Amino acid sequence: MHHRKPTIEDVAREAGVSRATASRAMNNMPGSSARTRALVAQVAQTLGYRPDPAARALASGRQMAIDLVVINYEPDLVWIGGHPYFGRVIAGMTTALAGTDVQLRIHVASLDKAGELIDAVARTTAGAVLVNVTSDLAVRFWRQCPHVVSLNTPAPMVPLVASDNTGGAYTALAHLHRIGARRIAAIHGPSINACATSRRHGHRDLIEDAGMPDLSANGAFTREGGYRAAARLLEQHPDIDGMFVASDLMAAGAVQAITAIGRKIPDDVAVIGFDDSIAATCANPPLSTIALPVEEMAATATRALLDGDLAPTWLSNFPVRLITRQSTDAAALC
Amino acid sequence: MHHRKPTIEDVAREAGVSRATASRAMNNMPGSSARTRALVAQVAQTLGYRPDPAARALASGRQMAIDLVVINYEPDLVWIGGHPYFGRVIAGMTTALAGTDVQLRIHVASLDKAGELIDAVARTTAGAVLVNVTSDLAVRFWRQCPHVVSLNTPAPMVPLVASDNTGGAYTALAHLHRIGARRIAAIHGPSINACATSRRHGHRDLIEDAGMPDLSANGAFTREGGYRAAARLLEQHPDIDGMFVASDLMAAGAVQAITAIGRKIPDDVAVIGFDDSIAATCANPPLSTIALPVEEMAATATRALLDGDLAPTWLSNFPVRLITRQSTDAAALC
DNA sequence: CGTAGAAGAGAGAGCGCTTCCGCTCCTATA
DNA sequence: TATAGGAGCGGAAGCGCTCTCTCTTCTACG
């Protein structure tokens, strides 16, 4: 037994055939008899042979990989696990990649190591999707590797797949207004986040159009952030009858804060979230929200990468959709 | 301008140096002057040169990748996005991989394509973590590539990283019993799922020990499943004063069903979930639950793969932890 | 002025695999 | 029986890169 891991050469020698034949046999290619095929398979098995993916990729010229790069602003990596968004992105990319032999690789880094990661991935990737990557880092990536798409975060020159966050926020607030809410509070996300900023704009647009006061608070995109912000707002403005929350996770917290002080949802306070993530359906009552086609967006980005048709300023504004549940409509089904 | 993508050869020629020099310069290796380094970088830039990862991996012998294989039993791939578990697994693996130059690749397939995927990945991987992969498929994988760890699903011979699901369920039910619940209903997960089965055992153990009746229902691991099962149970057994639900996602649905008919949580019915996923904190009131160290388990599995110390029957039983929130303790902080 | 030593650059041998090309041999057909 | 066609296999040329070894040149010191 050698120490070195067996190569196809070893298999061929042991089976008494040529490398070419061994390769054909193991890959079930035409031009190899069932007999040899079995023999080679047998030898490979006993030798514990595993083809080297790198060598195979190099020789055959196929086998690409697309990279998903996620920057994590929170101190704890666990955040990734707690956030429903990434799973949806992965699901979308996986769908687009199904059937191709392109692999999906995941890279996550905290903000302080983001630069390193960006450079490392950009050097070697055949194409990448950027999630949560700030504008400047996205540009840095693009300069090293133009084969990249940013998800939801615009950056100069970098191809972008985005959804209509501004319009979504406007729609959400319009819905609250339509069902009669006039004292509508808003909880925004961190301004470092491009989506949060767009949603803020949608909010501003509607309250201007409807002539309503600006009752805003800010928080991190977490349940706790939503809870605290909502509690504070309710204290400052006891007459609030509607609440727009820029993320379902925060909205779930807001719902808890509202019921904790004995207000009824939606009768006393109607609440609407954003994202249509799992947090929206798990909240109690379930949250009306704005659905983003995250999977579809991720799939589109991936397909663009595969096809290579990335116009320099290519941009795609995915439409969002209002979902009505019990947090704004008591009669909605559960 | 050639059609073919530029190789290091092209860069070297264009820069008037040898391949070796170009390689050294671009990889910032010692033995190359700042002058050449700049020149080569410049040429590479204008040529749009991107090193071929496969060739590089082959030549250098480094660059591994670890694969995460997920089988999706639900009809819709979106499920992956909706389920908090996978994000946590990825977070754990990422943590373990940080600092190494080992890549993380993700593979997802539906049940009907699972066999193909298993074979394809097993043929080429340097090591894999199996999530949600049934026992027989895990064995099939292991036979082709013993460098594998199954997460939470035991399979003969396949190295396993599991948590104490049975003990967790017992603990959860004991907690309900301790706070005074005597008519405790249970909602179990699908029996195809190994975790669900273990939790079922924990439930059976406790109701036997405590001499309580078996008020059980089954459902898929979804919010809807939990909602329906809880509604049914409450109708059949109006005197229920506690509910053990085998997953937080289902428990979030159960909470909605309970409050929908006007019962108070935890005063009328105390509820406890399982997983400590995001669904637990988003529920209203927030759910007491059993926390699984999913990230830690995934990290352990990954490290084992990296180190290569996989004893054939290696097994690790991670302890679970009771988390108390308002669904069993009205006084708990939010 | 002579020589040791270091530093920079080039030649070339692989890494492990796929695949094109051509050879042999076996079978079916005239 | 002669021969075309095809199936099965081996030889060998790479795929694009890294890295060791060798050679050249340049600096520094006696």
Side-chain angles (χ1 to χ4, degrees):
Chain A
M1 191 75 177
H2 276 52
H3 189 67
R4 198 172 51 76
K5 71 178 251 192
T7 72
I8 198 174
E9 184 78 56
D10 302 319
V11 175
R13 190 176 344 95
E14 200 72 16
V17 298
S18 71
R19 267 212 315 284
T21 303
S23 172
R24 265 180 305 235
M26 291 192 290
N27 293 317
N28 295 317
M29 307 213 79
S32 116
S33 62
R35 198 190 168 66
T36 358
R37 210 167 287 197
L39 172 63
V40 169
Q42 156 68 20
V43 172
Q45 170 77 25
T46 59
L47 249 49
Y49 167 73
R50 339 221 56 248
D52 180 327
R56 171 184 289 213
L58 179 57
S60 65
R62 326 187 195 94
Q63 192 94 349
M64 297 197 340
I66 281 193
D67 295 79
L68 169 62
V69 179
V70 181
I71 306 296
N72 183 10
Y73 298 124
E74 307 295 313
D76 197 347
L77 199 59
V78 173
W79 181 65
I80 295 291
H83 209 296
Y85 187 63
F86 304 98
R88 298 182 65 187
V89 171
I90 291 172
M93 295 185 73
T94 305
T95 310
L97 256 27
T100 72
D101 56 353
V102 178
Q103 312 259 8
L104 173 58
R105 286 188 303 215
I106 311 278
H107 308 264
V108 183
S110 53
L111 193 51
D112 57 319
K113 301 218 180 82
E116 279 176 52
L117 179 67
I118 289 290
D119 294 343
V121 175
R123 282 183 55 72
T124 67
T125 188
V129 173
L130 269 31
V131 167
N132 236 22
V133 174
T134 47
S135 187
D136 54 333
L137 283 173
V139 171
R140 176 160 158 189
F141 193 105
W142 176 82
R143 262 205 277 268
Q144 298 173 71
C145 169
H147 215 70
V148 62
V149 178
S150 173
L151 224 59
N152 265 330
T153 305
M157 299 306 294
V158 183
L160 173 76
V161 168
S163 48
D164 185 11
N165 282 292
T166 307
Y170 193 95
T171 304
L173 281 146
H175 178 65
L176 290 177
H177 188 267
R178 192 181 326 122
I179 62 174
R182 289 297 176 271
R183 299 283 296 169
I184 304 179
I187 303 180
H188 300 292
S191 46
I192 190 178
N193 185 303
C195 293
T197 304
S198 300
R199 294 172 195 177
R200 205 180 287 253
H201 291 160
H203 169 251
R204 187 204 49 205
D205 291 351
L206 186 114
I207 58 175
E208 279 178 9
D209 289 358
M212 292 194 301
D214 184 356
L215 312 174
S216 287
N218 298 305
F221 268 157
T222 62
R223 187 201 60 89
E224 291 78 3
Y227 189 98
R228 285 199 216 97
R232 213 179 319 128
L233 282 168
L234 288 164
E235 206 174 285
Q236 292 169 356
H237 313 285
D239 58 342
I240 285 172
D241 57 2
M243 203 176 273
F244 164 75
V245 193
S247 120
D248 286 338
L249 214 48
M250 298 172 81
V255 163
Q256 294 166 346
I258 294 168
T259 55
I261 61 166
R263 303 280 184 97
K264 299 282 171 241
I265 299 173
D267 300 336
D268 299 338
V269 184
V271 182
I272 192 160
F274 213 111
D275 287 344
D276 195 27
S277 74
I278 193 179
T281 51
C282 286
N284 187 19
L287 282 163
S288 294
T289 190
I290 302 294
L292 301 185
V294 176
E295 289 87 356
E296 205 183 314
M297 290 165 63
T300 301
T302 307
R303 274 187 226 106
L305 247 24
L306 289 177
D307 302 344
D309 60 347
L310 302 167
T313 53
W314 180 68
L315 185 142
S316 168
N317 221 24
F318 278 76
V320 299
R321 199 159 46 88
L322 172 69
I323 308 268
T324 313
R325 299 205 183 89
Q326 291 175 31
S327 72
T328 61
D329 175 10
L333 293 174
C334 194
Chain B
M1 191 72 178
H2 276 52
H3 188 67
R4 199 171 51 76
K5 69 177 253 194
T7 71
I8 199 174
E9 185 79 57
D10 302 320
V11 175
R13 189 175 346 93
E14 199 73 15
V17 299
S18 71
R19 267 212 318 282
T21 303
S23 173
R24 253 169 302 194
M26 290 192 292
N27 293 318
N28 295 317
M29 308 212 79
S32 123
S33 62
R35 197 191 169 66
T36 359
R37 208 168 288 197
L39 172 63
V40 169
Q42 156 67 20
V43 172
Q45 170 76 27
T46 60
L47 249 49
Y49 167 73
R50 340 222 54 249
D52 180 327
R56 171 184 290 215
L58 179 58
S60 65
R62 327 187 192 95
Q63 190 95 352
M64 296 198 341
I66 281 193
D67 294 80
L68 169 63
V69 179
V70 181
I71 307 295
N72 183 9
Y73 297 123
E74 308 294 314
D76 197 347
L77 197 59
V78 173
W79 182 65
I80 294 291
H83 209 296
Y85 186 63
F86 304 99
R88 297 182 66 186
V89 171
I90 292 172
M93 295 186 72
T94 305
T95 311
L97 255 29
T100 74
D101 56 353
V102 179
Q103 312 259 9
L104 172 59
R105 285 188 305 214
I106 310 280
H107 309 264
V108 183
S110 53
L111 192 50
D112 57 319
K113 300 219 180 81
E116 279 176 52
L117 179 66
I118 289 289
D119 294 343
V121 175
R123 282 185 55 73
T124 65
T125 188
V129 172
L130 268 31
V131 167
N132 235 22
V133 175
T134 47
S135 186
D136 54 332
L137 283 173
V139 171
R140 176 160 158 190
F141 193 105
W142 177 82
R143 262 205 278 268
Q144 298 173 72
C145 169
H147 215 71
V148 62
V149 178
S150 174
L151 223 60
N152 264 331
T153 305
M157 300 306 295
V158 183
L160 174 75
V161 169
S163 49
D164 186 11
N165 282 292
T166 307
Y170 193 95
T171 304
L173 282 146
H175 178 65
L176 290 177
H177 188 267
R178 191 179 328 120
I179 63 174
R182 289 298 176 270
R183 300 281 297 168
I184 303 179
I187 302 179
H188 300 292
S191 46
I192 190 179
N193 185 302
C195 293
T197 304
S198 301
R199 293 172 195 178
R200 205 180 287 253
H201 291 161
H203 168 250
R204 188 204 48 205
D205 292 351
L206 186 115
I207 59 175
E208 279 179 9
D209 289 358
M212 293 194 301
D214 185 356
L215 312 175
S216 287
N218 298 306
F221 269 156
T222 62
R223 186 201 62 88
E224 291 78 4
Y227 189 98
R228 285 198 217 97
R232 213 179 318 127
L233 282 168
L234 288 164
E235 208 174 282
Q236 291 169 355
H237 313 284
D239 59 342
I240 285 172
D241 58 1
M243 202 176 274
F244 164 75
V245 193
S247 118
D248 287 338
L249 214 48
M250 299 172 80
V255 162
Q256 293 167 346
I258 294 168
T259 55
I261 61 166
R263 304 280 184 96
K264 299 281 171 242
I265 299 173
D267 299 337
D268 300 338
V269 184
V271 182
I272 191 161
F274 213 111
D275 288 342
D276 195 28
S277 75
I278 193 178
T281 50
C282 286
N284 187 18
L287 284 161
S288 294
T289 191
I290 301 294
L292 301 185
V294 176
E295 289 87 356
E296 206 184 313
M297 289 166 63
T300 302
T302 307
R303 274 187 226 106
L305 246 25
L306 289 178
D307 302 346
D309 60 346
L310 302 167
T313 54
W314 180 67
L315 185 143
S316 169
N317 222 24
F318 278 76
V320 299
R321 199 159 47 89
L322 172 68
I323 308 269
T324 312
R325 299 203 182 90
Q326 290 175 30
S327 73
T328 62
D329 176 9
L333 293 175
C334 195

